[in-house]
Amino acid sequence: MLSAGLPQGAVPKLERPGPLRDRVYEALLELITTRALQPGQHLVESELAGHLGVSRQPVREALQRLNTEGWVDLRPAQGAFVHEPTEQEADQLLTVRTLLEAEAARLAALNADSAGIEALEEILALGLEAVASDDVDAAVVLNARFHAKIMDLAGNAVLAELAAQVGRRVRWYHAPVARQRGGQSWAEHRDLIAAVADRDEQLAERLMREHTEHTRRSYLAQAKP
């Protein structure tokens, strides 16, 4: 077992094909973004290799890449540790997220068709079920899916590319407050769907801005000692 342990079934199965180092990287990044590996947790190469069923070399390469991207800290004579985001890092990223998502909501209200609205409503129903059953992991995944669908309906490839660059970190920051936000977050999603369906660009933009700001403030509040 890893030194701090992992929840039962948390270790993802490595997909084939593709370079092994890339598959190990994706597996470790998934464990970090879902917080199966917690911020500050010591990452022991041999233990990770054993869990993933690989040698230590692709794990070492994956950790070096994760370090370059800011997910892992490599400390001399100590080893690798999951990065602990600072309040400033979180604030800056979630502020950028608000800008991107608000514009996406405005464009979605302009461009969404009936099939897109139906897709949002299906995600909403699943999200409400997850909240009702206190399935936080499912709620986090569905929240990411909802926002990705809004971005898809916006129809702006450059905006979507920028959002994708911060998407996993948004999921990382959202996970600790998912239970706290709970039903309120999904009520805000419902209002947003209505604005998009009504093609009310200004309302959709405002609701998304308020929605993402609520998440930012919730994260920063729980991060304070």
Side-chain angles (χ1 to χ4, degrees):
M1 291 297 293
L2 292 174
S3 38
L6 282 173
Q8 186 68 27
V11 180
K13 294 186 181 300
L14 294 185
E15 301 257 346
R16 320 257 178 207
L20 185 58
R21 63 178 179 274
D22 291 345
R23 289 183 278 121
V24 171
Y25 162 84
E26 287 294 336
L28 293 179
L29 183 53
E30 180 69 10
L31 289 170
I32 291 171
T33 55
T34 58
R35 294 190 177 240
L37 292 171
Q38 291 286 320
Q41 184 170 339
H42 188 202
L43 302 174
V44 181
E45 286 182 8
S46 59
E47 294 176 347
L48 292 171
H51 275 287
L52 297 173
V54 298
S55 69
R56 293 177 62 175
Q57 183 59 31
V59 171
R60 183 176 299 114
E61 293 173 353
L63 290 176
Q64 290 170 346
R65 179 177 172 185
L66 290 165
N67 173 67
T68 299
E69 296 176 357
W71 293 101
V72 165
D73 297 327
L74 297 179
R75 303 173 188 169
Q78 296 184 55
F81 297 81
V82 179
H83 180 65
E84 297 184 72
T86 67
E87 183 176 319
Q88 183 181 41
E89 287 172 359
D91 188 34
Q92 290 178 353
L93 183 125
L94 293 174
T95 296
V96 170
R97 181 228 187 175
T98 292
L99 298 173
L100 297 174
E101 298 266 7
E103 177 61 9
R106 186 187 71 79
L107 291 174
L110 183 66
N111 298 320
D113 56 14
S114 58
I117 300 299
E118 183 177 342
L120 290 174
E121 290 175 339
E122 289 175 357
I123 298 171
L124 172 66
L126 293 172
L128 291 171
E129 289 178 10
V131 170
S133 60
D134 199 31
D135 189 342
V136 176
D137 290 340
V140 170
V141 171
L142 289 163
N143 179 75
R145 189 183 303 172
F146 180 88
H147 285 270
K149 187 60 183 178
I150 291 286
M151 193 63 63
D152 176 58
L153 295 176
N156 185 310
V158 175
L159 188 64
E161 182 179 355
L162 292 172
Q165 292 177 21
V166 301
R168 262 178 157 156
R169 287 192 183 272
V170 168
R171 183 178 172 191
W172 192 34
Y173 295 136
H174 179 69
V177 299
R179 178 175 279 111
Q180 174 189 342
R181 292 278 285 128
Q184 180 59 38
S185 179
W186 289 94
E188 292 164 9
H189 286 166
R190 181 189 287 113
D191 292 342
L192 183 58
I193 293 173
V196 171
D198 290 341
R199 297 193 176 279
D200 191 331
E201 298 173 53
Q202 291 185 344
L203 180 59
E205 180 180 9
R206 178 173 65 79
L207 290 175
M208 180 63 90
R209 187 179 299 278
E210 292 173 352
H211 173 67
T212 54
E213 277 293 296
H214 289 159
T215 297
R216 185 181 71 87
R217 289 195 295 267
S218 294
Y219 178 87
L220 294 175
Q222 66 83 36
K224 291 184 183 298

